[in-house]
Amino acid sequence: MHDFKRGDARNYPAKPFVKQRIFHRLFAMYRICLFLCVVISCVTSQEAEEPISYTCTDGYTFDPVRQVCKDIDECALVPDACKGGMKCINHFGGYLCLPQNAQIFVSNGDEYTPTPAPVPVPAPRVPETRRFIHSQALTIQCSSGFVLDEQNYCRDIDECSTGRHTCTSDQVCFNTRGSYTCQCQPGFQKNGDQCVDRDECHQAHYCMHRCINTVGSYYCECNPGYKLASNNHSCIDVNECEGSNPCQHQCYNILGSFICQCDQGYELASDSRSCQDIDECSYSNFMCQYQCVNNPGGYGCTCPDGYQLQGSRICQDINECERGHDCREDEKCQNYHGGFRCYPRNPCQEPYVRTAENRCVCPSVTSVCQGLPTTIVYKYMSILSDHSVPADIFQIQATNMYHNTHNTFQIKAGNEDGEFYLRRSSNLSAMLVMTKPLSGPREHVVDLEMVTHNNVINYRSSSLLRLTIIIGPYAF
Ligand SMILES: *[C@@H]1O[C@H](CO)[C@@H](O)[C@H](O)[C@H]1NC(C)=O
Ligand SMILES: *[C@@H]1O[C@H](CO)[C@@H](O)[C@H](O)[C@H]1NC(C)=O
């Protein structure tokens, strides 16, 4: 409030009618008091002839012509008497700064409306409505949303905390100046007065793979093999091979998945993770010459007794006769495919006598030898079981001792089932041909006779070749 010098004689504009009346009524008493005061003052200072001084209370100035204290219209006098766009209303002894939309009523019911009440607008925040008034004759009515407090300030009503709102329970009440708004919880949107779930997935979202809407929110999901990044939106590849290996053998990470591979000799099972042994033996009958033995991750070949593995699949006969055998001293060792046999070193039986290894001769001086082969020669050979036929297996050869001799060859014994025949290959030789496959293990003895004629000296001799054929148990 501005302070004015007392005795200011400036001329102020006339008051409105209503105000004038109030003035007169209110200050009738005051004038009486003032008059008494002046009289007393006159009396006490009469002898001094001092000039009379008049004092008006704040907001009034002395009108020397009318000899009264006159109200000062501060609204007209004081530039920017009210700040913040507030309306200045002059009043006795002061002025009011009121919101533009405030209305003033005097207690006798007369309305004091300098301007028509405009549409309510939120009152300025600071300062609240200041009031300078000396009487209770006026009441201030605040616009809707505001309430007058004890200091006669129009205070904003907090509708939200005072329960004077219409927001539903799923809405959030926000107080505004002069009013309030009902807003939906995050993730909800207004549908009329209702708050309904906002489907973030149908609107712009940033899920890399999949968006899952929930009531009031949403979340992102990733395809299998991916995991949600820390930003909860991106998907990053999971290295499944790290940590616990999901594969039984090798694991190879790929984008969004992984691949298992198995060590050699294993194949991936139907679960694509575990490895199962490959039965290489089932691939073919030719994996091994004799027997295939499957083992984890591979296979092996075995050979029967009497053989040893040569390389990985071939069975090679063991020559027991070279390696060590248990034939007796008077026996000779004869190796064959898959074993060995012991034959007597001296196969010659009476009346034959041994003249050389495997050769027995019947001494021609004895009559016992009449009609018997002069010599018997023992031969041993080994053939494989189920040998393909026909097969030349043994050649008998005569020694060409004399001219004009003629040799004939024949199978004397051991061909009862016709497994062999003898093919003459020259005057001095013949070939034993096997015509039926023989299955081992067995021993077959064939007697081959050679008869030599010499017509010139009338010589005839026969000799026998006793061929022992040992057929091994296998075809190898
Ligand atoms: C991702 O979601 C988790 C769990 O819901 C949360 O704790 C974290 O703060 C979120 N991170 C980001 C970046 O939003
Ligand atoms: C075989 O014997 C026959 C008669 O017996 C004879 O004519 C022929 O020349 C002999 N061949 C040989 C190669 O000795």
Side-chain angles (χ1 to χ4, degrees):
M1 174 121 188
H2 289 261
D3 202 20
F4 291 96
K5 240 171 41 182
R6 307 294 169 253
D8 191 334
R10 263 187 281 181
N11 211 9
Y12 297 117
K15 301 293 170 196
F17 172 70
V18 173
K19 195 179 171 192
Q20 287 284 24
R21 277 175 40 198
I22 299 168
F23 173 85
H24 286 298
R25 204 158 0 102
L26 280 175
F27 284 87
M29 290 288 289
Y30 184 74
R31 249 188 296 177
I32 294 164
C33 288
L34 191 67
F35 175 71
L36 287 176
C37 173
V38 169
V39 170
I40 292 163
S41 173
C42 292
V43 171
T44 53
S45 58
Q46 202 163 18
E47 278 122 359
E49 291 287 327
E50 284 177 1
I52 298 167
S53 66
Y54 301 94
T55 306
C56 295
T57 54
D58 280 354
Y60 293 87
T61 186
F62 186 70
D63 183 348
V65 178
R66 296 170 61 193
Q67 291 284 298
V68 292
C69 282
K70 191 175 71 176
D71 180 48
I72 300 166
D73 184 357
E74 294 88 351
C75 293
L77 193 65
V78 183
D80 293 329
C82 291
K83 302 270 190 280
M86 295 185 84
K87 183 169 63 183
C88 184
I89 296 167
N90 187 45
H91 193 64
F92 305 115
Y95 65 98
L96 303 174
C97 290
L98 295 179
Q100 293 288 345
N101 60 337
Q103 291 179 317
I104 299 173
F105 296 88
V106 291
S107 55
N108 65 358
D110 291 335
E111 192 179 347
Y112 180 79
T113 46
T115 52
V119 179
V121 295
R125 194 170 291 274
V126 177
E128 295 283 350
T129 305
R130 281 303 306 272
R131 182 167 179 268
F132 300 97
I133 193 156
H134 286 243
S135 95
Q136 296 300 311
L138 299 182
T139 55
I140 299 173
Q141 191 180 40
C142 301
S143 55
S144 75
F146 292 87
V147 66
L148 196 68
D149 67 4
E150 302 83 47
Q151 283 86 40
N152 287 318
Y153 288 71
C154 278
R155 297 258 184 225
D156 175 49
I157 297 169
D158 187 351
E159 292 87 353
C160 295
S161 60
T162 56
R164 290 153 75 177
H165 62 86
T166 58
C167 298
T168 56
S169 59
D170 58 348
Q171 292 175 339
V172 183
C173 178
F174 280 98
N175 189 51
T176 62
R177 263 196 95 70
S179 186
Y180 65 95
T181 62
C182 298
Q183 292 182 11
C184 294
Q185 305 266 16
F188 293 84
Q189 62 189 10
K190 275 252 174 80
N191 182 8
D193 287 340
Q194 303 283 309
C195 283
V196 295
D197 176 48
R198 192 154 59 89
D199 186 356
E200 294 87 354
C201 294
H202 262 115
Q203 302 160 359
H205 63 82
Y206 304 100
C207 291
M208 196 168 175
H209 287 175
R210 226 174 7 266
C211 179
I212 311 291
N213 185 54
T214 61
V215 176
S217 186
Y218 73 100
Y219 61 91
C220 297
E221 273 188 357
C222 293
N223 293 336
Y226 292 84
K227 63 182 174 191
L228 213 53
S230 56
N231 64 14
N232 290 343
H233 288 94
S234 310
C235 294
I236 52 179
D237 175 50
V238 174
N239 186 347
E240 294 88 352
C241 298
E242 267 178 4
S244 60
N245 186 355
C247 301
Q248 191 178 345
H249 291 167
Q250 281 99 43
C251 180
Y252 298 97
N253 184 51
I254 59 173
L255 267 188
S257 186
F258 63 97
I259 291 174
C260 296
Q261 277 189 0
C262 295
D263 296 339
Q264 194 173 0
Y266 292 85
E267 62 191 357
L268 212 53
S270 53
D271 64 0
S272 295
R273 295 176 184 219
S274 45
C275 295
Q276 58 195 23
D277 177 49
I278 296 173
D279 183 5
E280 293 88 355
C281 296
S282 67
Y283 282 176
S284 152
N285 289 331
F286 299 101
M287 297 298 289
C288 294
Q289 191 175 45
Y290 174 62
Q291 198 167 55
C292 181
V293 178
N294 185 52
N295 58 48
Y299 74 100
C301 294
T302 60
C303 291
D305 285 348
Y307 292 85
Q308 62 190 2
L309 203 60
Q310 185 190 39
S312 60
R313 65 172 295 273
I314 299 295
C315 290
Q316 187 186 46
D317 174 49
I318 296 169
N319 190 336
E320 295 89 353
C321 296
E322 288 176 359
R323 221 184 241 196
H325 54 85
D326 54 2
C327 292
R328 295 197 311 262
E329 262 308 297
D330 60 345
E331 288 175 332
K332 62 193 255 4
C333 178
Q334 179 63 43
N335 183 59
Y336 67 92
H337 291 277
F340 70 98
R341 294 204 167 199
C342 301
Y343 292 104
R345 287 194 180 277
N346 183 7
C348 307
Q349 291 167 351
E350 287 287 339
Y352 288 89
V353 292
R354 185 173 179 269
T355 58
E357 194 184 354
N358 296 331
R359 181 175 287 269
C360 304
V361 176
C362 196
S364 51
V365 289
T366 60
S367 57
V368 193
C369 295
Q370 206 74 44
L372 291 178
T374 316
T375 58
I376 301 176
V377 175
Y378 290 86
K379 287 285 184 190
Y380 304 90
M381 68 169 292
S382 163
I383 64 165
L384 302 176
S385 184
D386 301 316
H387 200 287
S388 59
V389 289
D392 295 350
I393 60 169
F394 191 83
Q395 176 157 294
I396 180 169
Q397 179 82 43
T399 45
N400 191 13
M401 292 172 68
Y402 307 105
H403 282 290
N404 300 318
T405 57
H406 179 69
N407 300 305
T408 55
F409 303 94
Q410 64 169 324
I411 301 170
K412 195 80 171 162
N415 195 23
E416 289 74 22
D417 294 331
E419 293 98 344
F420 305 97
Y421 81 91
L422 208 53
R423 186 183 74 234
R424 190 183 176 90
S425 47
S426 74
N427 283 351
L428 294 176
S429 65
M431 177 65 76
L432 182 69
V433 180
M434 186 170 72
T435 55
K436 288 182 181 173
L438 298 177
S439 292
R442 65 185 267 204
E443 190 182 83
H444 199 95
V445 178
V446 184
D447 280 349
L448 303 175
E449 188 194 45
M450 181 180 73
V451 178
T452 303
H453 303 272
N454 190 319
N455 293 330
V456 178
I457 58 167
N458 196 20
Y459 169 82
R460 182 184 184 279
S461 84
S462 89
S463 64
L464 208 64
L465 193 144
R466 184 155 288 162
L467 178 65
T468 302
I469 303 169
I470 310 162
I471 300 133
Y474 306 107
F476 48 90

